[in-house]
């Protein structure tokens, strides 16, 4: 059997945006495997509740919060709901994102650009900001924030709006890591390639 002691999270309280399915569900399940209680944040309540039940069956507490992360008030309300249920927040995984089909940038309409930036970049910032605000006022002051970027944040390919948003997530993460290190908050990002989900 593998030694998983490095991943011991018993007693930690986490949230995962986009946690209902795919990469987010995998992150939420991994956190629960380590012993963390996990809030599943998503728009899809039906699938999100299925993930909640999976985590509860693992012996951890879990509940669902519906949230559009591009809406600042919903993000604040979601964070407050997590803290009300768990008492604190130790880990925030900001995984919500969506893509557009690759196509010529010369034909990209502004509404598609705005949507892509609004969810993938601005939404990630709003969630990280709300999480940090909570972590800063806790005792002890500390926390972990993990943002999901993409390989397309570093290389060209796919859709220009998605690429720009994910490149922004990478630099956003670096900037927040420098800023919030003084509060013992670690900020990192993952840049996955194509994933079967």
């Amino acid at each position: 059997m593998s030694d998983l002691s490095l991943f011991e999270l018993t007693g930690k309280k986490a949230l995962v945006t986009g946690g209902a399915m795919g990469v987010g569900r995998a992150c939420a399940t991994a956190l629960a495997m380590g012993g963390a209680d996990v809030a599943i944040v998503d728009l899809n309540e039906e699938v999100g509740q299925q993930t909640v039940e999976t985590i509860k069956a693992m012996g951890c507490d879990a509940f669902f919060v519906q949230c559009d992360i591009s809406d600042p008030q919903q993000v604040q309300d979601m964070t407050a709901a997590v803290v009300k249920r768990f008492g604190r927040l130790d880990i925030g995984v900001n995984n919500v994102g969506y893509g557009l089909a690759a196509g010529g940038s010369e034909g990209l309409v502004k509404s598609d650009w705005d949507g892509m930036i609004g969810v993938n970049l601005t939404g990630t910032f709003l969630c990280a900001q709300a999480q940090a605000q909570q972590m800063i006022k806790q005792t002890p002051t500390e926390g972990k924030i993990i943002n999901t970027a993409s390989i397309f944040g570093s290389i060209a390919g796919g859709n220009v709006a998605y690429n720009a948003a994910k490149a922004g997530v990478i630099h956003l993460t670096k900037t927040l890591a420098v800023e919030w290190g003084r509060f013992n908050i670690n900020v990192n990002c993952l840049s996955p390639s194509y994933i079967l989900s």
Side-chain angles (χ1 to χ4, degrees):
M1 177 179 261
S2 299
D3 178 10
L4 298 177
S5 61
L6 289 174
F7 302 98
E8 175 61 45
L9 297 172
T10 300
K12 297 296 186 182
K13 312 301 181 183
L15 70 81
V16 180
T17 69
M21 63 185 86
V23 173
R25 179 184 169 95
C27 290
T29 303
L31 288 166
M33 288 173 65
D37 297 324
V38 187
I40 303 301
V41 180
D42 210 289
L43 287 174
N44 190 329
E45 184 172 4
E46 181 181 354
V47 179
Q49 288 292 358
Q50 293 171 13
T51 302
V52 165
E53 293 309 314
T54 297
I55 291 171
K56 284 184 173 180
M58 298 168 68
C60 296
D61 190 14
F63 77 111
F64 176 81
V65 185
Q66 192 168 58
C67 180
D68 174 354
I69 67 158
S70 66
D71 181 323
Q73 189 59 57
Q74 287 192 42
V75 169
Q76 290 293 325
D77 292 345
M78 173 270 293
T79 307
V82 172
V83 174
K84 181 177 181 182
R85 173 69 172 256
F86 291 155
R88 60 181 293 110
L89 177 64
D90 301 298
I91 303 164
V93 179
N94 300 311
N95 175 70
V96 167
Y98 76 99
L100 294 170
S105 300
E106 70 280 1
L108 181 70
V109 297
K110 185 175 182 294
S111 59
D112 285 342
W113 173 273
D114 290 345
M116 193 69 33
I117 299 298
V119 171
N120 291 328
L121 180 55
T122 305
T124 298
F125 170 69
L126 292 173
C127 288
Q129 182 184 51
Q131 291 154 16
Q133 288 168 347
Q134 174 60 34
M135 292 169 179
I136 288 167
K137 65 186 178 185
Q138 293 176 168
T139 303
T141 300
E142 61 184 8
K144 312 288 185 189
I145 296 174
I146 302 108
N147 301 323
T148 301
S150 167
I151 191 172
F152 285 122
S154 302
I155 65 170
N159 178 277
V160 67
Y162 180 83
N163 295 1
K166 293 300 188 177
V169 169
I170 292 170
H171 203 69
L172 167 73
T173 300
K174 292 177 181 179
T175 304
L176 297 181
V178 169
E179 267 193 55
W180 294 340
R182 71 186 189 275
F183 300 115
N184 297 316
I185 298 172
N186 301 125
V187 189
N188 291 285
C189 76
L190 307 173
S191 292
S193 182
Y194 293 101
I195 292 179
L196 294 174
S197 62

